[in-house]
């Protein structure tokens, strides 16, 4: 009854009515709160910074341990490419099972599902970024058209890059192509169902995206005013005079992003996978011949410097970056590890005293050798680099281009160029047949791409088994099913 | 070289502030035989939480362990943050006339910061009428043995949102733990579904509450029809979409059923108390509408069985049944191909296609509803007895009318691997061997055992009766206890799942042994 008496007072009624009015009208804003580190899509792409963040996010995910931070570079992919000597590994170790191609083992299965899941999630991120950037007004970006093209081009290139590597893992090589559809090329967001494509259809889409990306990125990385950003100091270290390096960190470090030359080199890799030696050679040559100020844009570090420049960042066309790389790798080169990543150094480097890669670039673990590449002390130059595409690969592609024409001399020369850069000057190569060429090529690839996840794909493409029971196609992962 | 840097200190801090403000205004009035009860109110709550954690490593000694002595900070400091706000207004009305006619109505509008912008507010309402028959004068005159006889009917709408904001819109999460060379990054949290809406349930309920002979028989009965529209459910996705699941409104579901409860105190004297109770419930669940995402899901289920190649034929996953969502079906349907059993002529299974024709080939698209796990009726009953200081409580559970798919029978008998593992007798006796054998299982397979895919042959009726619990207790005389200054002393013996009978013989083996538990307890208080 007390409240009823309050109601009878006119003033109180008025006051209550006012309160109700204030509360209901101001409510929508009052309810619009969200945790600090979550932003909805509309707010995200309201200004250019959101575009930058989303693009960076895609690179960060790529550098995670499920993908190039471990499994698809020096981890699983090198393990199944028989990069390492797995004889003394514990039989319970996941890498031991993987080295023996036990795809149905639960822990190997999880690893494979994670690669698939993380990669496609990153592709979804690419797709949504492309949705937005392709229709955005270039004035929204701080560096206008340059930045718009850069973000757009890189997103397209990343989409193709990730898809292509998934295909190299989950579909048979062109030599073993069964014309079946093995995985989907996803270029829409959002999607709740995906359509699988055959190798040929899939590669067409990879090529389409890369070609488009290349056109867009040409406006950022090859123009007279910006080409300087591609030089080693700018590209890898963001060092140089104020006139040379961009003020904005987002525009710097082109070597850590999908730049024009990275895309060109990737196209060379894709054409080679298809067996299109002409196009592959053409693309590789463009990268090798690229110059700035009359000197080559990409070159090898001097062989005597390799002991300090373990990643040879001078010759990296595209690298990812992870601050935790050294730490992650450390546990695999310790005596406690159940699968220490040791190499058959004497066999791999053919007992060469000259090859710096077989001497200065190796460490010792209880008499066994391991690669020092990922052991650079944290925050020293190169410690975070995960090389994705190197200049040496372009020479190997040129070598295959010549070998395809049975021009053994030039093919040998191309291989020798990389060998010389690594200190192998005395022992030269003479090649006389395709079989011999392939053997020599595989040897070179094994030496050059230690812990970089390329060897397996060379074996697969050439259809040469690295081990008798080697398998070249992953099973369709469990998370793809219901 | 181990332990060069030793010692670790974790410091974490959690802060949370929340408040809740409620204002209500009520109005009660009795005017003669009219009784009115009005209430209006609003409610706002706000919660803010932050958590911060940091790890230091490397200390000179156990005594010098303040953060200032640490050699380094290990990893990134962790930081998390949560915010939520809620606002609601409500109004209710209760009206009764002479305590015979009853009327209730209520409205409530809720706003929540966790819902997407388009669905920030949700209204709920309900209304009901009731009739207290026993308060009519003529009724009172007519019967003396009815102490309560109430008829009631209610109708209402309730909404439910059990999804997070990032499931209803595309939300980016800032990856603040690791920066890329060219700056901070962010990534999509989940596949946000902007079309996701409230799940609404329209509920109609009529019932009767009665009490005869002052508590000797108490009865409650009700019948309901419940329509749920825009049912929210998690839909699994192929990982190649970038995500493994998302939330969607998967369609409309209709539930009808009744509930019945009877309690009776048969005897209540100084030494004896005997009471019995029983209840029974029936529910029928029917899907009336399905979304496109469910049709896509059904397609993927059928795809699952597609690969029956020689290499994959032995894959035991193929024996698993999956729920499909079809209009007219139920959320508890069992799907498979209808079977006529094993052909006595050749030991092969004969399937019936939806069009009535028969075939030897199992086809994923021929799958139909072959059973339903939902029981026709289920409930419990029990007896409670007290005699002097002894008490006995018992309760039984029952259900009948449902079905189960007996997959154990497939893995252990039908698809037994005779060469590799031990098998039971039925592998020998229940199999087709010669022309004319009428058997539940097909011919014995050796080497590669082709998996038997979902078939009605393994659907079994599921009727269960179990003794859920039995408790025997003894209370020590309180007069006697007082002398030793105790308040209560009770000795209790109880057992769970003492008895169970089922029409589906479940082989539990060593994997899932049947658990029967016994407890002895002494309870005392001073």
């Amino acid at each position: 009854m007390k409240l009823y008496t309050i109601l009878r007072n006119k003033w109180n009624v008025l006051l209550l009515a006012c309160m109700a009015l204030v509360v209901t009208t101001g409510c929508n804003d009052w309810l619009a709160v969200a945790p600090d580190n979550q932003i909805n899509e509309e707010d995200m792409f309201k200004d250019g910074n959101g575009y930058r963040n989303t693009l960076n996010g895609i690179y960060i995910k790529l550098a995670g341990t499920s993908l190039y931070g471990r499994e698809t570079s020096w981890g699983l992919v090198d393990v199944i490419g028989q990069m390492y000597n797995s004889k003394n590994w514990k039989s319970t170790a996941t890498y031991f099972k993987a080295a023996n191609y036990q795809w149905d083992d639960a822990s190997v299965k999880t690893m494979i599902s994670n690669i698939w899941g993380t990669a496609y999630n990153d592709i979804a991120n690419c797709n949504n970024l492309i949705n937005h950037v392709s229709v955005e007004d270039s004035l929204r970006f701080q560096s206008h058209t340059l930045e718009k093209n850069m973000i757009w081009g890189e997103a397209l290139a990343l989409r193709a890059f990730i898809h292509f590597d998934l295909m190299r893992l989950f579909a048979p090589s062109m030599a073993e192509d069964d014309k079946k559809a093995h995985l989907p090329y996803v270029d829409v967001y959002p999607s709740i169902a995906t359509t699988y494509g055959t190798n040929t259809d899939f590669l067409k889409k990879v090529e389409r995206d890369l070609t488009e990306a290349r056109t867009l990125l040409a406006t950022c990385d090859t123009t007279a005013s910006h080409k300087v950003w591609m030089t080693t100091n700018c590209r890898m270290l963001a060092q140089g005079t104020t006139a040379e390096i961009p003020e904005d960190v987002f525009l710097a470090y082109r070597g850590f992003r999908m730049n024009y030359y990275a895309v060109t080199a990737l196209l060379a890799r894709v054409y080679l996978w298809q067996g299109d030696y002409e196009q592959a050679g053409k693309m590789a040559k463009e990268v090798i011949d690229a110059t700035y100020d009359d000197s080559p844009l990409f070159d090898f570090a001097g062989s005597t410097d390799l002991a300090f420049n373990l990643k040879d960042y001078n010759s990296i066309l595209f690298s990812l970056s992870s601050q935790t790389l050294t730490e992650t790798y450390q546990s695999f080169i310790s005596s406690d590890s159940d699968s220490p990543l040791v190499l058959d150094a004497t066999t791999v480097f053919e007992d060469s005293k000259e090859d710096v890669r077989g001497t200065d670039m190796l460490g010792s673990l209880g008499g066994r050798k391991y690669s020092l590449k990922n052991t650079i002390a944290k925050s020293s130059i190169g410690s975070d680099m995960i090389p994705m595409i190197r200049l040496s690969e372009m020479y190997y592609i040129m070598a295959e281009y010549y070998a395809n024409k049975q021009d053994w001399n030039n093919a040998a020369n191309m291989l020798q160029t990389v060998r010389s850069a690594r200190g192998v000057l005395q022992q030269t190569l003479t090649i006389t047949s395709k079989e011999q060429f392939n053997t020599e090529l595989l040897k070179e690839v094994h030496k050059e791409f230690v812990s970089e996840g390329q060897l397996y794909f060379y074996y697969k493409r050439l259809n040469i088994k690295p081990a008798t029971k080697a398998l070249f196609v992953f099973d369709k992962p469990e998370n793809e099913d219901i | 070289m181990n332990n060069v840097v030793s010692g670790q200190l974790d410091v974490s801090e959690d802060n949370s502030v929340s408040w809740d403000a409620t204002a209500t205004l009520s109005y009660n009035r009795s005017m003669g035989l009219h009784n009115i009860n009005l209430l209006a109110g609003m409610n706002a709550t706000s919660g803010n939480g932050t958590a911060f954690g940091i790890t230091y490593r490397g200390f000179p000694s156990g005594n010098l362990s303040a953060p200032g002595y640490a050699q380094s900070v290990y990893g990134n400091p962790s930081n998390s943050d949560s915010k939520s706000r809620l606002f609601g207004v409500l109004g209710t009305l209760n009206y009764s006339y002479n305590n015979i006619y009853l009327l209730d109505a209520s409205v409530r509008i809720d706003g929540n910061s966790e819902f997407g912008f388009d669905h920030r507010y949700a209204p709920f309402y309900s209304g009901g009428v009731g009739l207290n028959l026993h308060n009519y004068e003529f009724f009172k005159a007519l019967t003396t043995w009815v102490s309560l006889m109430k008829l009631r009917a209610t109708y209402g709408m309730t909404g439910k949102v059990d999804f997070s904001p990032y499931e209803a819109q595309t939300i980016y999460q800032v990856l603040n733990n690791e920066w890329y060379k060219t700056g901070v990054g962010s990534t999509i949290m989940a596949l946000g579904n902007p079309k996701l809406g409230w799940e609404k349930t329209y509920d109609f309920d009529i019932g009767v509450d009665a009490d005869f002979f002052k508590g000797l028989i108490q009865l409650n009965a009700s019948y309901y029809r419940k329509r749920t529209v825009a049912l929210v459910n998690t839909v699994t996705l192929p990982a190649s979409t970038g995500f493994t699941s998302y939330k969607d409104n998967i369609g409309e579901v209709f539930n009808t059923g009744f509930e019945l409860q009877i309690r009776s105190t048969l005897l209540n004297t100084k030494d004896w108390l005997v009471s019995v109770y029983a209840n029974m419930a029936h529910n029928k669940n029917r899907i009336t509408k399905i979304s496109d995402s469910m049709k896509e899901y059904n397609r993927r289920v059928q795809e699952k069985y597609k690969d029956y190649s020689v290499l994959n034929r032995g894959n035991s996953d193929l024996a698993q049944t999956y729920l499909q969502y079809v209009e007219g079906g139920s959320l508890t349907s069992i799907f498979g191909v209808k079977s006529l059993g094993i052909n006595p002529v050749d030991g092969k299974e004969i399937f019936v296609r939806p069009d009535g024709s028969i075939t030897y080939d199992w086809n994923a698209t021929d799958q139909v509803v072959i059973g339903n796990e939902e029981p026709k009726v289920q409930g419990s009953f029990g007896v409670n007895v007290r005699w002097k200081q002894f008490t006995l409580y018992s309760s039984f559970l029952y259900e009948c009318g449902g079905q189960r798919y007996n997959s154990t029978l497939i893995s252990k008998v039908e698809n037994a691997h005779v060469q590799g593992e031990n098998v039971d007798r039925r592998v020998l006796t229940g199999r087709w061997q010669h022309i004319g054998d009428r058997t539940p299982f097909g011919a014995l397979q050796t080497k590669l055992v082709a998996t038997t895919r979902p078939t009605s042959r393994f659907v079994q009726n599921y009727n269960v009766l179990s003794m859920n619990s039995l408790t025997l207790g003894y209370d020590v005389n309180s007069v006697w206890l007082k002398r030793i200054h105790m308040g209560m002393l009770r000795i209790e013996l109880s057992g769970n799942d003492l008895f169970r009978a089922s029409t589906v013989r479940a082989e539990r083996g060593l994997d899932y042994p049947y658990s029967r538990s016994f407890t002895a307890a002494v309870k005392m208080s001073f």
Side-chain angles (χ1 to χ4, degrees):
Chain A
M1 275 302 142
K2 212 175 176 186
L3 276 165
Y4 176 64
T5 44
I6 295 173
L7 257 185
R8 278 205 290 207
N9 184 325
K10 276 178 198 161
W11 290 108
N12 282 336
V13 173
L14 203 67
L15 191 76
L16 269 167
C18 284
M19 250 176 70
L21 199 73
V22 168
V23 167
T24 45
T25 51
C27 228
N28 236 329
D29 290 338
W30 187 75
L31 287 175
V33 292
D36 286 342
N37 61 345
Q38 293 175 14
I39 308 155
N40 78 34
E41 192 176 23
E42 288 78 48
D43 293 336
M44 190 74 193
F45 296 115
K46 229 173 224 165
D47 65 29
N49 268 331
Y51 287 93
R52 294 179 170 196
N53 290 351
T54 350
L55 185 63
N56 285 329
I58 297 167
Y59 287 106
I60 292 173
K61 280 216 148 186
L62 278 186
T65 51
S66 303
L67 296 174
Y68 302 94
R70 183 163 87 208
E71 303 316 351
T72 52
S73 57
W74 54 268
L76 183 65
V77 173
D78 263 348
V79 167
I80 58 177
Q82 306 299 335
M83 172 65 72
Y84 309 110
N85 181 339
S86 57
K87 280 194 198 87
N88 293 326
W89 290 355
K90 287 208 180 89
S91 61
T92 50
T94 309
Y95 281 166
F96 178 85
K97 291 166 184 159
N100 289 290
Y101 306 95
Q102 295 174 21
W103 287 174
D104 54 354
D105 174 77
S107 54
V108 178
K109 262 186 181 174
T110 311
M111 235 175 228
I112 294 172
S113 304
N114 282 343
I115 291 174
W116 177 277
T118 320
Y120 273 111
N121 180 269
D122 225 15
I123 287 169
N125 276 284
C126 288
N127 286 330
N128 199 34
L129 178 57
I130 294 166
N131 282 351
H132 284 270
V133 76
S134 55
V135 294
E136 188 59 273
D137 180 2
S138 56
L139 292 174
R140 195 53 69 89
F141 304 93
Q142 278 175 51
S143 305
H144 303 154
T145 315
L146 168 85
E147 189 172 333
K148 179 180 169 172
N149 286 353
M150 186 184 270
I151 294 172
W152 190 0
E154 286 183 35
L156 282 168
L158 283 167
R159 178 164 82 186
F161 173 77
I162 304 167
H163 271 118
F164 179 61
D165 268 4
L166 280 172
M167 181 194 164
R168 293 205 288 179
L169 292 169
F170 289 92
S173 68
M174 299 314 276
E176 295 273 278
D177 192 10
D178 51 6
K179 312 278 183 216
K180 281 186 189 155
H182 290 273
L183 70 169
Y185 195 95
V186 186
D187 49 12
V188 283
Y189 180 90
S191 73
I192 56 162
T194 53
T195 322
Y196 282 45
T198 59
N199 279 1
T200 322
D201 292 341
F202 196 93
L203 282 167
K204 262 188 205 138
K205 290 180 177 164
V206 173
E207 193 189 331
R208 175 201 70 193
D209 278 353
L210 287 177
T211 315
E212 201 183 329
R214 195 157 160 265
T215 317
L216 287 163
L217 290 166
T219 63
C220 315
D221 298 321
T222 62
T223 57
S225 48
H226 298 137
K227 203 174 184 181
V228 62
W229 296 351
M230 287 304 304
T231 57
T232 298
N233 269 342
C234 282
R235 177 178 91 241
M236 302 309 296
L237 312 173
Q239 287 172 0
T241 63
T242 3
E244 287 169 356
I245 55 164
E247 251 176 59
D248 197 331
V249 73
F250 184 75
L251 307 176
Y253 288 116
R254 295 299 295 150
F256 291 90
R257 301 254 299 272
M258 266 291 172
N259 60 69
Y260 171 83
Y261 294 99
V263 174
T264 310
L266 186 55
L267 263 172
R269 192 187 266 182
V270 173
Y271 284 129
L272 188 72
W273 191 264
Q274 289 175 302
D276 187 344
Y277 293 92
E278 278 304 316
Q279 285 293 323
K282 197 178 131 198
M283 293 293 156
K285 194 162 186 317
E286 185 185 334
V287 175
I288 293 169
D289 291 347
T291 56
Y292 176 74
D293 242 2
D294 296 331
S295 57
L297 206 45
F298 311 103
D299 209 348
F300 297 102
S303 62
T304 47
D305 294 340
L306 287 175
F308 314 102
N309 183 357
L310 284 158
K311 298 252 172 85
D312 180 19
Y313 60 79
N314 306 55
S315 73
I316 294 180
L317 306 175
F318 171 46
S319 168
L320 288 168
S321 162
S322 163
Q323 299 301 334
T324 50
L325 176 64
T326 312
E327 217 172 307
T328 317
Y329 184 70
Q330 200 67 42
S331 58
F332 288 93
I333 49 160
S334 107
S335 44
D336 309 333
S337 173
D338 56 5
S339 49
L341 304 180
V342 291
L343 305 160
D344 274 329
T346 340
T347 325
V348 173
F349 297 100
E350 302 176 273
D351 216 4
S352 165
K353 299 284 175 287
E354 292 184 294
D355 198 329
V356 181
R357 295 169 301 190
T359 53
D360 292 356
M361 291 174 76
L362 298 182
S364 207
L365 177 76
R368 320 288 296 275
K369 298 287 184 188
Y370 66 90
S371 167
L372 288 174
K373 278 183 186 172
N374 292 330
T375 61
I376 303 172
K378 204 173 173 179
S379 71
S380 301
I381 289 174
S383 67
D384 63 322
M385 291 178 191
I386 310 167
M388 292 285 102
I389 311 175
R390 278 186 184 284
L391 180 63
S392 39
E393 188 179 340
M394 297 303 109
Y395 280 100
Y396 296 149
I397 291 174
M398 287 307 289
E400 289 198 61
Y401 163 80
Y402 286 121
N404 185 52
K405 293 181 175 176
Q406 306 208 324
D407 182 348
W408 306 125
N409 213 3
N410 267 320
N413 279 343
M414 289 295 137
L415 296 183
Q416 188 56 44
T417 311
V418 184
R419 286 162 62 94
S420 305
R422 303 309 185 204
V424 189
L425 298 164
Q426 307 294 322
Q427 302 148 289
T428 48
L429 287 173
T430 10
I431 288 169
T432 51
S433 72
K434 183 84 193 182
E435 285 67 41
Q436 194 210 345
F437 171 78
N438 282 346
T439 314
E440 291 301 331
L441 175 70
L442 281 169
K443 279 192 206 166
E444 292 308 314
V445 166
H446 202 147
K447 290 184 252 189
E448 179 67 11
F449 298 128
V450 170
S451 296
E452 293 184 13
Q454 294 303 330
L455 180 62
Y456 178 69
F457 298 129
Y458 270 87
Y459 279 120
K460 179 168 177 174
R461 183 170 50 82
L462 299 172
N463 214 12
I464 299 169
K465 289 194 171 191
T468 36
K469 45 186 167 173
L471 295 175
F472 281 139
V473 187
F474 280 157
D475 289 346
K476 192 164 126 186
E478 279 175 329
N479 54 5
E480 185 65 4
D481 270 334
I482 292 163
Chain B
M1 284 292 279
N2 283 338
N3 280 331
V4 177
V5 173
S6 63
Q8 173 168 324
L9 173 71
D10 294 303
V11 178
S12 66
E13 198 182 299
D14 289 298
N15 283 312
S16 69
V17 179
S18 64
W19 55 259
D20 186 325
T22 311
T24 53
L25 198 61
S26 62
Y27 172 80
N28 306 315
R29 191 112 209 240
S30 296
M31 285 173 289
L33 297 172
H34 302 275
N35 200 334
I36 296 180
N37 208 330
L38 264 171
L39 186 128
M42 55 191 166
N43 167 252
T45 62
S46 165
N48 264 326
T50 54
F52 177 76
I54 190 161
T55 301
Y56 300 95
R57 275 197 182 170
F59 290 92
S61 73
N63 294 329
L64 303 174
S65 61
Y69 291 108
Q71 190 232 17
S72 63
V73 172
Y74 179 75
N76 287 319
S78 67
N79 186 32
S80 72
D81 168 65
S82 66
K83 286 190 179 103
S84 77
R85 282 176 181 173
L86 239 151
F87 175 78
V89 287
L90 67 135
T92 61
L93 161 75
N94 301 314
Y95 168 78
S96 69
Y97 176 76
N98 201 13
N99 213 6
I100 294 176
Y101 303 100
L102 311 168
L103 178 83
D104 296 309
S106 74
V107 185
R108 190 182 167 95
I109 299 172
D110 273 349
N112 190 331
S113 65
E114 301 205 339
F115 310 154
F117 195 82
D118 303 339
H119 306 287
R120 195 141 274 165
Y121 290 96
F124 312 116
Y125 59 84
S126 72
V129 288
L131 183 66
N132 281 331
L133 269 178
H134 57 274
N135 286 345
Y136 274 117
E137 286 305 323
F138 78 89
F139 200 85
K140 281 180 188 163
L142 218 64
T143 56
T144 48
W145 47 277
V146 180
S147 38
L148 172 76
M149 175 68 84
K150 180 179 176 178
L151 305 177
R152 55 186 158 76
T154 53
Y155 181 76
M157 191 274 274
T158 48
K160 197 171 83 179
V161 174
D162 49 359
F163 49 84
S164 305
Y166 60 82
E167 285 168 319
Q169 50 183 324
T170 302
I171 286 193
Y172 278 87
Q173 183 174 32
V174 179
L175 304 167
N176 40 359
N177 279 335
E178 198 172 348
W179 283 46
Y180 198 62
K181 269 279 204 246
T182 53
V184 68
S186 53
T187 182
I188 300 172
M189 285 183 81
L191 185 65
N193 181 1
K195 289 184 200 132
L196 196 60
W198 290 85
E199 177 177 313
K200 293 184 196 119
T201 304
Y202 299 90
D203 194 345
F204 174 68
D205 194 323
I206 53 171
V208 56
D209 301 322
D211 186 343
F212 306 110
F213 304 109
K214 288 184 179 142
L216 181 64
I217 299 171
Q218 283 170 289
L219 185 128
N220 306 83
S222 59
Y223 168 81
Y224 59 84
R225 293 168 74 84
K226 220 190 278 186
R227 191 164 67 96
T228 305
V229 298
L231 185 71
V232 173
N233 206 351
T234 305
V235 182
T236 61
L237 289 174
S240 59
T241 58
F243 305 90
T244 48
S245 69
Y246 83 123
K247 285 269 164 81
D248 195 22
N249 298 112
I250 61 158
E252 249 180 69
V253 174
F254 205 66
N255 279 292
T256 50
F258 66 81
E259 285 163 357
L260 196 65
Q261 259 188 64
I262 301 174
R263 281 183 303 278
S264 175
T265 308
L266 297 172
L267 197 60
N268 192 354
T269 64
K270 187 171 170 284
D271 283 348
W272 281 95
L273 176 78
V274 180
S275 69
V276 292
Y277 73 93
N279 58 54
M280 178 196 254
H282 160 82
N283 183 61
K284 189 169 159 36
N285 172 284
R286 195 158 53 88
I287 301 172
T288 47
K289 205 154 110 191
I290 57 161
S291 68
D292 288 344
S293 60
M294 286 294 102
K295 287 176 188 154
E296 169 62 24
Y297 173 86
N298 291 344
R299 193 191 59 77
R300 289 179 58 212
V301 167
Q302 301 197 348
E303 197 118 291
K304 177 101 189 161
Y305 301 104
K306 214 165 120 191
D307 186 10
Y308 202 61
S309 61
V310 176
L311 280 175
N312 198 40
R313 196 164 288 182
N315 188 347
S316 56
D317 288 351
L318 293 172
Q320 202 178 334
T321 58
Y322 285 92
L323 173 65
Q324 296 183 38
Y325 297 84
V326 293
E327 283 160 22
S330 145
L331 291 171
T332 45
S333 294
I334 305 169
F335 276 81
V337 177
K338 241 182 172 168
S339 166
L340 288 178
I342 301 295
N343 188 350
V345 177
D346 56 10
K348 285 187 190 162
E349 182 165 18
I350 304 172
F351 298 106
V352 187
R353 308 198 61 171
D355 64 8
S357 60
I358 59 170
T359 172
Y360 278 137
D361 298 320
W362 189 97
N363 237 314
T365 46
D366 291 347
Q367 290 186 87
V368 290
V369 177
I370 51 172
N372 194 336
E373 295 200 344
E374 185 172 60
K376 289 265 186 315
V377 286
Q378 62 180 329
S380 62
F381 59 89
V383 186
N384 298 328
V385 181
R386 180 181 61 78
W387 178 69
K388 291 185 175 167
Q389 273 96 282
F390 289 95
T391 50
L392 178 80
Y393 302 122
S394 67
S395 77
F396 296 82
L397 299 178
Y398 68 90
E399 69 164 270
C400 57
Q403 282 95 30
R404 288 290 183 278
Y405 194 71
N406 197 335
S407 51
T408 320
L409 219 45
I410 295 183
S411 61
K412 304 264 171 167
V413 184
E414 172 87 353
N415 292 339
H417 291 256
V418 193
Q419 282 148 324
E421 47 196 60
N422 291 329
V423 294
D424 75 52
R425 162 164 42 145
R426 287 170 296 179
V427 174
L428 188 70
T429 58
R431 293 203 160 265
W432 182 91
Q433 291 178 43
H434 311 287
I435 294 174
D437 284 357
R438 290 175 185 278
T439 55
F441 306 112
L444 189 69
Q445 300 183 70
T446 47
K447 286 179 189 155
L448 185 103
V449 178
T451 303
T452 305
R453 290 165 290 178
T455 152
S456 63
R457 188 155 52 100
F458 291 98
V459 173
Q460 301 184 331
N461 287 328
Y462 188 62
N463 302 320
V464 192
L465 173 67
S466 72
M467 186 183 229
N468 183 40
S469 71
L470 183 72
T471 310
L472 183 67
Y474 178 77
D475 286 288
V476 178
N477 193 322
S478 56
V479 181
W480 185 80
L481 281 174
K482 252 181 201 154
R483 262 184 251 157
I484 55 163
H485 305 289
M486 272 179 86
M488 186 263 275
L489 179 63
R490 183 176 161 79
I491 300 156
E492 222 173 69
L493 279 172
S494 61
N496 283 331
D497 288 321
L498 294 178
F499 156 85
R500 184 186 152 91
S502 162
T503 53
V504 172
R505 292 177 60 196
E507 182 180 322
R508 309 180 80 117
L510 294 170
D511 298 341
Y512 302 102
Y514 186 73
S515 89
R516 222 175 243 146
S517 66
F518 296 94
T519 330
V522 179
K523 295 177 182 172
M524 36 186 152
S525 73
F526 297 93

